[in-house]
Amino acid sequence: MYIIAGLGNPTREYDKTRHNVGFEAIDVLADKLGIRVTDKKHKAVYGLGMAGYQKVILSKPQTYMNLSGESIRSMADFYKVEPENIIIICDDINLTEGQLRIRKKGSAGGHNGLKNIIQHLGTQEFPRIRVGVGEKPKEMDLADYVLGRFPKEQEMIMADAYQAAADAAVMMVEDGADQAMNYFNRKK
């Protein structure tokens, strides 16, 4: 079984913000796999289904970004899912808009959501799909940037990125992280 969790912030005020690209990717993935993400438990909205021959849980933690680990840990403990089968989808300001970077493990890289997940799981050994949201302008506060929305001209780029992140997650489940890394990390 796999948990695929997209990070973001709950409530409408954060819809379509840079920090919520994980939620957007989960919505695309849910449509692709025919999974309804409507159950509420483990401080998340989630749904169970299949990706190929694997059981998957699609999750959108409702703890706010900086406390995402609480939800991930609760769900992992309940369903007995090991960290290597927990795929996290999140934003990355170090990648250009729409670029994906897949890793099997690693540091938080300054991302507070990942930092909290590492803290709660007690390991960095879980795969992640980072979705580029572009570099913050020098004169802008980081929080204002990641909680801001994409300009109209980037919306199509990001829609393609959410589709690619969903495809990458399915490939990771069905064929392994190495295959997904080889395919998606070369693009752009």
Side-chain angles (χ1 to χ4, degrees):
M1 177 178 273
Y2 285 80
I3 295 171
I4 305 171
L7 302 189
N9 288 310
T11 73
R12 286 189 189 275
E13 72 180 285
Y14 298 107
D15 279 353
K16 311 278 186 221
T17 62
R18 289 179 181 88
H19 232 8
N20 275 33
V21 299
F23 281 10
E24 298 288 337
I26 290 294
D27 290 343
V28 170
L29 184 55
D31 285 345
K32 179 183 184 73
L33 299 177
I35 297 173
R36 293 182 56 218
V37 179
T38 55
D39 294 339
K40 293 179 181 167
K41 200 173 175 183
H42 309 291
K43 299 181 181 180
V45 178
Y46 70 100
L48 286 81
M50 300 293 286
Y53 297 105
Q54 295 286 344
K55 289 181 185 175
V56 294
I57 301 165
L58 304 184
S59 175
K60 298 194 296 189
Q62 301 294 292
T63 54
Y64 289 92
M65 179 69 76
N66 296 350
L67 300 174
S68 299
E70 295 175 9
S71 172
I72 302 297
R73 180 62 191 253
S74 175
M75 194 168 279
D77 287 350
F78 185 82
Y79 289 102
K80 297 178 179 24
V81 177
E82 294 299 319
E84 59 269 15
N85 285 0
I86 300 171
I87 300 169
I88 303 297
I89 305 173
C90 65
D91 60 300
D92 191 322
I93 61 166
N94 296 311
L95 299 173
T96 59
E97 293 84 354
Q99 183 182 5
L100 295 189
R101 177 79 67 225
I102 299 168
R103 295 280 183 257
K104 290 198 283 190
K105 61 184 179 180
S107 72
H111 193 285
N112 289 331
L114 290 175
K115 196 178 298 181
N116 193 258
I117 293 168
I118 290 167
Q119 178 187 342
H120 280 273
L121 292 180
T123 183
Q124 297 180 6
E125 309 265 331
F126 57 87
R128 70 276 320 252
I129 301 169
R130 290 177 172 255
V131 180
V133 297
E135 188 177 352
K136 158 189 102 57
K138 288 190 187 336
E139 68 281 355
M140 195 172 204
D141 178 67
L142 179 60
D144 290 340
Y145 182 72
V146 295
L147 297 177
R149 288 175 174 74
F150 293 99
K152 201 110 184 108
E153 63 272 10
Q154 291 177 357
E155 288 176 2
M156 191 56 109
I157 292 168
M158 294 313 297
D160 290 345
Y162 305 143
Q163 184 64 56
D167 293 344
V170 169
M171 186 179 285
M172 291 170 82
V173 168
E174 292 181 349
D175 304 317
D178 287 331
Q179 180 113 1
M181 288 167 61
N182 287 337
Y183 184 79
F184 288 97
N185 287 352
R186 287 184 293 156
K187 292 189 162 196
K188 275 205 171 183

